[in-house]
C-alpha cells in the first residue's frame, strides 16, 4: 500500500491475532515477525529468521509457520538482492506449511515485481494461477469508511463529510493515518 494507508496498523493487528492463536492453540502456526527497519544486514536477517528456534522447530517438525516481514521496501535499500536470496532459501522447503507475508509500499513492490514473481510462484495452484491473487493492496478509504470512522469517534458523519469537502481535504480523509 501507499504511505499512510494503514499497513503498519493492519500488520500489528494481524500479528497480534496470530500471536493469540499461537498462545491458545499448540497446533496453530508458529509466528516469526520481522520488522525490516530494525534489520541492518543479511546476517541479522538470517540470525533472526533462519537461525531462530521457531524456524528450526518448524523445519524439523510437521507444523505450520507464518513468516511476516514488515517494511520490505526499507530492507531492500540495505540488503541488495534480498528477494532472490529469500527465493533460493525457500526453494527446497515445505512451502505448503509456510505462510509468507511481505509488507511493502506499492511503488517499491512494482519496482521488484519481476523478482517477486518466482517467489510467489511457490504458492500458485491451478486455482490461483496469477500473482494478483497472491498480492493484496490496501486501498484508500471510501466515503462510507470515513463516515463510519466519524461515527465511531462520536462525530456527526454528515457534518464531518461536509467539512471535509468544504475544506478540500478529501485526500487526507482517504488515508487512515490522516483521517
Amino acid at each position: 500500500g501507499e504511505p499512510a494507508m494503514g499497513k503498519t496498523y493492519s500488520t500489528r493487528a494481524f500479528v497480534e491475532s496470530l500471536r493469540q492463536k499461537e498462545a491458545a492453540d499448540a497446533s496453530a502456526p508458529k509466528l516469526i515477525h520481522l520488522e525490516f527497519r530494525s534489520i541492518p544486514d543479511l546476517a541479522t536477517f538470517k540470525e533472526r529468521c533462519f537461525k531462530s528456534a521457531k524456524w528450526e522447530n518448524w523445519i524439523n517438525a510437521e507444523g505450520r509457520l507464518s513468516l511476516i516481514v514488515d517494511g520490505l521496501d526499507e530492507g531492500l535499500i540495505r540488503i541488495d538482492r534480498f528477494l532472490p536470496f529469500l527465493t533460493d532459501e525457500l526453494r527446497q522447503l515445505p512451502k505448503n506449511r509456510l505462510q509468507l507475508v511481505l509488507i511493502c509500499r506499492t511503488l517499491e513492490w512494482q519496482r521488484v515485481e519481476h523478482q517477486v514473481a518466482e517467489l510467489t510462484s511457490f504458492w500458485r495452484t491451478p486455482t490461483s494461477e496469477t500473482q494478483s491473487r497472491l498480492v493484496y493492496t490496501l486501498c484508500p478509504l471510501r466515503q462510507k469508511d470515513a463516515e463510519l470512522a466519524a461515527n465511531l469517534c462520536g462525530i456527526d458523519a454528515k457534518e464531518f463529510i461536509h467539512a471535509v469537502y468544504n475544506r478540500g481535504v478529501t485526500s487526507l480523509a482517504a488515508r487512515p493515518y490522516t483521517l
Side-chain angles (χ1 to χ4, degrees), residues 37-77:
R37 65 188 59 83
S38 67
I39 297 176
D41 53 37
L42 190 56
T44 304
F45 180 87
K46 288 178 182 179
E47 180 181 326
R48 293 183 186 174
C49 182
F50 302 134
K51 294 180 181 178
S52 71
K54 285 185 180 182
W55 185 270
E56 292 295 328
N57 290 338
W58 174 71
I59 291 290
N60 297 317
E62 293 298 316
R64 295 172 301 149
L65 178 76
S66 295
L67 172 58
I68 300 174
V69 181
D70 189 9
L72 178 66
D73 46 302
E74 297 175 51
L76 293 174
I77 294 168

Side-chain angles (χ1 to χ4, degrees), residues 153-171:
C153 291
I155 299 169
D156 181 273
K158 289 188 188 294
E159 287 182 26
F160 177 74
I161 296 300
H162 182 73
V164 165
Y165 280 108
N166 280 347
R167 289 179 175 82
V169 291
T170 55
S171 61

Side-chain angles (χ1 to χ4, degrees), residues 106-171:
T106 305
L107 187 60
E108 187 64 22
W109 186 264
Q110 291 169 350
R111 189 181 72 76
V112 296
E113 200 163 12
H114 63 285
Q115 294 177 14
V116 174
E118 185 179 3
L119 182 60
T120 58
S121 73
F122 295 155
W123 287 274
R124 285 198 191 112
T125 66
T127 58
S128 69
E129 294 173 2
T130 64
Q131 178 181 335
S132 64
R133 294 188 184 139
L134 299 170
V135 177
Y136 298 91
T137 302
L138 292 179
C139 296
L141 298 175
R142 302 163 296 179
Q143 180 173 327
K144 67 181 182 177
D145 301 321
E147 289 170 352
L148 175 62
N151 284 330
L152 290 172
C153 291
I155 299 169
D156 181 273
K158 289 188 188 294
E159 287 182 26
F160 177 74
I161 296 300
H162 182 73
V164 165
Y165 280 108
N166 280 347
R167 289 179 175 82
V169 291
T170 55
S171 61

Side-chain angles (χ1 to χ4, degrees), residues 19-30 64:
R19 280 192 178 123
Q20 289 175 3
K21 289 177 187 173
E22 182 182 24
D25 181 0
S27 66
K30 302 308 173 209
R64 295 172 301 149

